[in-house]
Amino acid sequence: MIEATLEFHDLHPTPADLRADVLAGLRRRPRAIPPKFFYDAAGSKLFDAITELPEYYLTRTEVGVLREHAAEIAERVGTGSLLVEPGGGSCAKVRILLEGLRPCAYVPMDISREHLWVAAGEVAAEYPWLEVHAACTDFTRVMEVPPTAPEGPRVAFFPGSSIGNFGPEAAVDFMAAVAELVGKGGFLLIGVDLKKAKAMLNAAYDDAQGVTAAFNLNLLTRINRELGADFQSRLWAHKAGYDEAHGRVEMHLVSLARQTVTVAGEGFQFAAGETIHTENSYKYTVAEFSTLAARAGFTAEVVWTDSEQRFSVHLLRATV
Ligand code: AVJ
């Protein structure tokens, strides 16, 4: 009988960051709060519900591409690697890769502590041969392999088009940090959503059931709870849409009235119609993304897409 192996590391406490980033974001014009703060326990659950919506084609399309090419991915990457997943969250997609890759260890990193704890425990129980070294961290600040993890050729897995939350320049910086993490010859397997008709993008971020709206509005509930704020949900609305000029879907929270909100003791005035920008989701062509990857020190080994060219999965190799 093999014991499940789960090591849990808290690399980074987050409450102070929430306060500083939210206050700075509300003082700024236009006002903006970083999307990483969506993922408290309720937000992580709402995001998982989004991935199952009929309009949110991203997850099921990417899963299809990964399944179709899992054998080739394993062949190209080889077994025995150290598999690192920044933003591993619910650790769902990695299951497609585990049997083929047979990594020496899996390192999911996520900002959502409870969510990561549960998900990493499930992976460890399901794959008794696998060492799991989970790290609770804001990977946009601290991206380190925990000291208990074994050595092995490193492979980073960054699915879901999470890269789209960064602007192009920040995406290059992030991927350059990943290149450093995996080292020369290391791999990055990354999912990137593709540019497409506006109607399909708009529907994916403004679903009929209102789950994405609840996900966006949950940010205010979280801020109320954790920063002692007094946002009233009924005075705010979800707004999302594709901005062709920037090549990104923007999400905002719209103030439905002229109002004052107190956050951590500080008063903020909002005009009716004023927004808080909560997320960008950049969309790329395969060529555009390959150019960014090259600037970060990666070359494309292979790029796969689904038959309708909705979503791409790039297998990149670090050259520096
Ligand atoms: C997890 C960042 C990839 O941008 O599509 C889903 C988050 N926001 N619906 C995305 C999200 C609204 C998602 N990422």
Side-chain angles (χ1 to χ4, degrees), residues 35 38-39 47 50-51 56 58 159-165 193 204-206 212 215-216 238 240 249 251 279-283:
F38 283 135
Y39 302 94
F47 177 68
I50 286 173
T51 65
Y56 197 77
L58 288 81
S161 204
S162 295
I163 193 71
N165 274 176
D193 196 21
Y205 291 83
D206 194 7
T212 309
F215 173 73
N216 198 6
H238 166 70
V249 174
M251 281 209 322
E279 186 175 55
N280 286 322
S281 271
Y282 280 83
K283 309 301 173 185

Side-chain angles (χ1 to χ4, degrees), residues 6-17 36-45 87-91 108-122 134-139 222 225-226:
L6 173 64
E7 292 268 355
F8 198 87
H9 303 263
D10 263 322
L11 294 184
H12 200 255
T14 56
D17 296 345
K36 64 188 177 190
F37 296 122
F38 283 135
Y39 302 94
D40 66 349
S44 295
K45 286 213 177 91
S90 54
C91 308
M109 297 176 172
D110 205 271
I111 194 168
S112 189
R113 187 179 285 106
E114 300 309 314
H115 202 68
L116 175 65
W117 171 254
V118 172
E122 284 169 4
C136 180
T137 178
D138 172 0
F139 65 77
R222 178 187 190 177
R225 189 181 59 243
E226 295 186 31

